[in-house]
Amino acid sequence: MSFTKIACVADDSPKAQAALKEIRKHHDVVELTKRRMSAQVIVVLGGDGFMLSALHEYMKMKLPFYGINCGTVGFLMNQYALDNLPERIARARASTIYPLHMYARKTTGKVSQALAFNEVSLFRQSRQAAKIRVSIDHVVRLKELICDGVLVATPAGSTAYNFSAGGPIIPLSGNVMALTPLVPFRPRRWRGALLTHNSSVNFTIMEPKKRPVNAVADFTEIEDVAEVVIAEQRKSGVSLLFDPEHNLEERIIKEQFTY
């Protein structure tokens, strides 16, 4: 497919701003408005964090995203190069990623909802360890998980915080998500689980007043939660474009052999 209408967004770093200026010099960059007709693809200049921010802001436009790494790791980005940009985008391969939907009920009864392309995490907020009951598809699997926290990660997010916490790296085509404890104390040897992508995960916070817990979905943090329900939201999938030699599926596989 030929992408003649390119929109660009860039973070505030000097490298990203310089790249944006260079792209505008050589290409007819269209304005990125809330109406999708003005662009065919969104070029994102920055790092993984900025890509996540762009996905949240522009996902409703239903346009593909092509990232150019102007940050450090750049797992969701392509290598930095500005030459032949339309041709590179035309040759790119698409990977669809799906976010997690978080339903969080606070101890006050107030309900909040958010999406996460990487993970939904729960964290203790005091010196007391959290006590969390874990249910999968309405079946209690752990009556009491005593820990610093717990998270559910998507395949795209499995190489990030989830992996650092000891969770598995998941191929995009695996159709599973990772359930990973954070510093678990009881059960002593429990290291998490792999769940089918259509599973519903319910965390019930036990003694929430004595052992307060916060929930975080990418950039959204909810304090003092009493219950958190997490499920994949297929209707909100987004398309990321990657150079053929640097596609996301291959990168996830290679990450498992990095040491």
Side-chain angles (χ1 to χ4, degrees), residues 19-79:
L20 177 61
K21 184 177 180 180
E22 187 70 14
I23 290 173
R24 283 176 170 168
K25 184 188 301 184
H26 295 95
H27 304 285
D28 185 17
V29 177
V30 301
E31 291 298 319
L32 188 56
T33 68
K34 296 299 181 182
R35 297 164 56 198
R36 70 165 295 190
M37 76 320 85
S38 61
Q40 294 173 297
V41 62
I42 301 174
V43 174
V44 181
L45 306 169
D48 285 337
F50 188 70
M51 173 60 87
L52 283 176
S53 178
L55 293 179
H56 280 277
E57 184 168 358
Y58 300 111
M59 60 184 294
K60 291 184 179 179
M61 298 182 73
K62 302 296 182 183
L63 294 172
F65 293 79
Y66 182 87
I68 297 178
N69 186 25
C70 298
T72 50
V73 178
F75 191 81
L76 298 175
M77 318 297 282
N78 294 284
Q79 292 181 345

Side-chain angles (χ1 to χ4, degrees), residues 153-155 170-178 194-198 232:
T154 67
I170 306 170
L172 278 184
S173 57
N175 285 325
V176 294
M177 51 189 182
L194 286 174
L195 307 173
T196 58
H197 74 94
N198 55 358
E232 185 183 73

Side-chain angles (χ1 to χ4, degrees), residues 1 3 41 51 64-67 75-78 85-97 172 238-251:
M1 178 179 178
F3 292 95
V41 62
M51 173 60 87
F65 293 79
Y66 182 87
F75 191 81
L76 298 175
M77 318 297 282
N78 294 284
L85 184 58
E87 291 79 5
R88 286 180 65 193
I89 297 174
R91 291 190 303 107
R93 297 175 181 173
S95 293
T96 302
I97 62 174
L172 278 184
V238 297
S239 178
L240 298 183
L241 301 178
F242 292 95
D243 297 332
E245 66 278 7
H246 206 55
N247 69 79
L248 184 58
E249 189 74 63
E250 172 65 17
R251 212 173 310 179

Side-chain angles (χ1 to χ4, degrees), residues 111-200:
V111 170
S112 297
Q113 301 182 63
L115 296 179
F117 285 96
N118 266 3
E119 75 275 321
V120 175
S121 306
L122 275 63
F123 302 98
R124 69 180 176 97
Q125 293 301 307
S126 73
R127 62 182 180 84
Q128 298 274 9
K131 285 188 177 182
I132 303 172
R133 177 173 296 139
V134 180
S135 300
I136 310 298
D137 295 330
H138 309 292
V139 177
V140 175
R141 298 299 183 182
L142 286 178
K143 292 183 178 180
E144 186 178 86
L145 171 62
I146 303 176
C147 57
D148 278 359
V150 64
L151 64 82
V152 177
T154 67
S158 66
T159 60
Y161 186 30
N162 168 72
F163 185 56
S164 298
I169 292 177
I170 306 170
L172 278 184
S173 57
N175 285 325
V176 294
M177 51 189 182
L179 171 60
T180 303
L182 306 176
V183 195
F185 177 64
R186 289 287 189 277
R188 178 72 77 179
R189 292 182 174 82
W190 190 66
R191 288 295 178 263
L194 286 174
L195 307 173
T196 58
H197 74 94
N198 55 358
S199 297
S200 174

